[in-house]
Amino acid sequence: MTDILTASTSSPAQAVPVSQERRVVTAIPGPASRAIHERRLAVVPTGVSSVLPVYIARAHGAILVDVDDNQFIDLGAGIGVTTIGHTDEAVVDAAAAQLHNVIHTLFTVTPYEEYVRVAELLAEHTPGSHAKKTVLVNSGAEAVENGVKIARKYTGRRGVAVLDHAYHGRTNLTMAMNFKAMPYAAGFGPLAGDVYHAPSSYPYHDGLSGADAAARTIAYLEKIVGASDLACLVVEPIQGEGGFMVPADGYLPALQEWCTANGIVFIADEIQSGMARTGAYYASEHLGLVPDLVLSAKGIAGGLPLAAVTGRAEIMDAAQPGGLGGTFGGNPVAAAAAVAVFEQIGKNNLLAEARRIEGTLKPALLELQRKYDIIGDVRGIGAMQAIELVQPGTASTTKEPNPGAVRAITDYAAQHGVLVLSAGTYGNVLRFLPSLAITDELIADAVSVLDEAFARL
Ligand SMILES: *Cc1c(COP(=O)(O)O)cnc(C)c1O
């Protein structure tokens, strides 16, 4: 009898090297991408859209290679996921080794060490030196859902406060927590109740000090729900989809102080801003925050799906046994990759790389702002930078959104081998969140393409 299960002769795929350079050899998208796109239109629903329908065959470092052999400088990193670089060797090796050992058991049936190691690393690297515990889940939205669940159980309260311009995901609860109905919630109701949206700090537009913006947020929440009915306040320390708004100094610490005084769990959604993106493990550190719960996802596992809720042990332990978990949560392969990501951040001093990128990118963006008056604002921390585009002549007056210019710039950039993402409540922000592996040369090359794009507007 032949044992077909042992008949496999496959060996690990040999990676094709990817040169770290921009190269456009076809129209964008090219013929091979167009052919796949035709097939996709027949079988993938329109609700799943793609920013740039070039189909990616390989990626390494800061470069994407499509099926037509075009090479793109990737300034998006899968929306801040491949933070330490595409197909980072240490991540690939750790995941590959884990694939051969064990792929799945379900931690809530028979556990494994990698999950525990990720929890230890998160306890070590999230802000604050208090005792912390972590639950691992599959996605950012699931981390938000679990953070809210835990805060409700701990406080025995119902209300969830969020800020204007926030983005927290696409599940039923999280779509109620987003600022923008379109496209995230429109037509998908009924939405979860007991979610309260409060004004945020958006220095370029509101001009408020941190203290004044916090007073406005607090007064609003006390009026529409009341502190005693709030289980948690969920904030992105630097808002992601909203447009990389860095809040005014002291804004978030004042909110945290109010939460603590009123028994409200302060939850930092660091899904986009965390994991070394800003030159600290978590953006909270720049802003003087020690959140009760911290949410991690995107960059945590080098591209494998993993997310986490990490928080004060006494809060995390509020949930009853069996109340937290999920089939794939903390998958061993993703967990092994996350351990490698933490090791790479430490070993290669990637926090300094994020600061290097700020040092190269921010002055270049400020230079563009001096040349082009539609660039109203340049903002961000570390490798999380953005520019807000306004209508000509309104940069210091009405600051009227200019989403058309954003579309023109992203289109031109794509045609010339640079993938740059938009953001912003009004679609008028260009956001830059390259991998920390991007070189200064690639940044300069990408900025030169943006410069051409602005010049042609
Ligand atoms: C991406 C994102 C989420 C949702 O994460 P998913 O993994 O897409 O569910 C939540 N919050 C923030 C700040 C994000 O950037």
Side-chain angles (χ1 to χ4, degrees), residues 79 138-142 144 167-170 236 240-241 269-272 297-298:
I79 314 194
N138 302 296
S139 70
E142 208 188 340
V144 177
Y167 177 80
H168 297 292
R170 284 186 169 88
E236 298 158 84
E241 306 299 301
D269 177 347
E270 291 248 22
I271 289 167
Q272 196 158 155
K298 293 196 161 86

Side-chain angles (χ1 to χ4, degrees), residues 23-250:
R23 188 179 68 213
V24 178
V25 294
T26 69
I28 304 294
S33 278
R34 283 175 198 273
I36 300 170
H37 199 66
E38 276 306 306
R39 288 163 48 204
R40 170 227 182 105
L41 293 177
V43 291
V44 179
T46 45
V48 185
S49 56
S50 295
V51 170
L52 176 60
V54 294
Y55 287 75
I56 301 305
R58 302 191 307 280
H60 189 67
I63 297 290
L64 295 166
V65 187
D66 75 8
V67 288
D68 293 288
D69 233 20
N70 298 298
Q71 299 204 167
F72 296 85
I73 300 175
D74 184 5
L75 298 180
I79 314 194
V81 169
T82 54
T83 301
I84 72 164
H86 286 285
T87 58
D88 176 87
E89 283 89 351
V91 168
V92 171
D93 290 349
Q98 186 60 44
L99 279 170
H100 290 285
N101 290 337
V102 57
I103 298 175
H104 175 82
T105 65
L106 214 176
F107 192 76
T108 57
V109 176
T110 47
Y112 40 88
E113 184 181 358
E114 289 72 20
Y115 189 119
V116 177
R117 186 68 194 128
V118 174
E120 289 171 344
L121 288 162
L122 284 163
E124 183 182 339
H125 293 295
T126 51
S129 55
H130 47 279
K132 297 171 200 155
K133 295 190 174 183
T134 289
V135 56
L136 296 179
V137 292
N138 302 296
S139 70
E142 208 188 340
V144 177
E145 294 258 358
N146 278 278
V148 170
K149 249 169 81 168
I150 292 164
R152 281 178 165 160
K153 188 72 203 283
Y154 176 72
T155 58
R157 301 175 183 177
R158 62 186 175 88
V160 177
V162 293
L163 297 178
D164 288 353
H165 308 288
Y167 177 80
H168 297 292
R170 284 186 169 88
T171 58
N172 187 259
L173 172 63
T174 56
M175 70 186 178
M177 295 168 67
N178 298 335
F179 185 61
K180 278 209 284 202
M182 199 57 195
Y184 305 122
F188 298 144
L191 302 183
D194 277 320
V195 176
Y196 301 91
H197 294 255
S200 56
S201 168
Y202 192 163
Y204 178 55
H205 283 276
D206 61 33
L208 295 177
S209 70
D212 288 349
R216 180 176 70 168
T217 305
I218 291 166
Y220 192 85
L221 287 171
E222 285 183 337
K223 186 61 70 185
I224 60 165
V225 50
S228 62
D229 267 344
L230 278 178
C232 56
L233 169 65
V234 185
V235 303
E236 298 158 84
I238 300 174
Q239 293 183 314
E241 306 299 301
F244 287 14
M245 287 82 103
V246 181
D249 274 353

Side-chain angles (χ1 to χ4, degrees), residues 1 31 117 144 220 267 289 337 384 392:
M1 198 173 87
R117 186 68 194 128
V144 177
Y220 192 85
I267 304 181
L289 300 172
M384 188 172 189

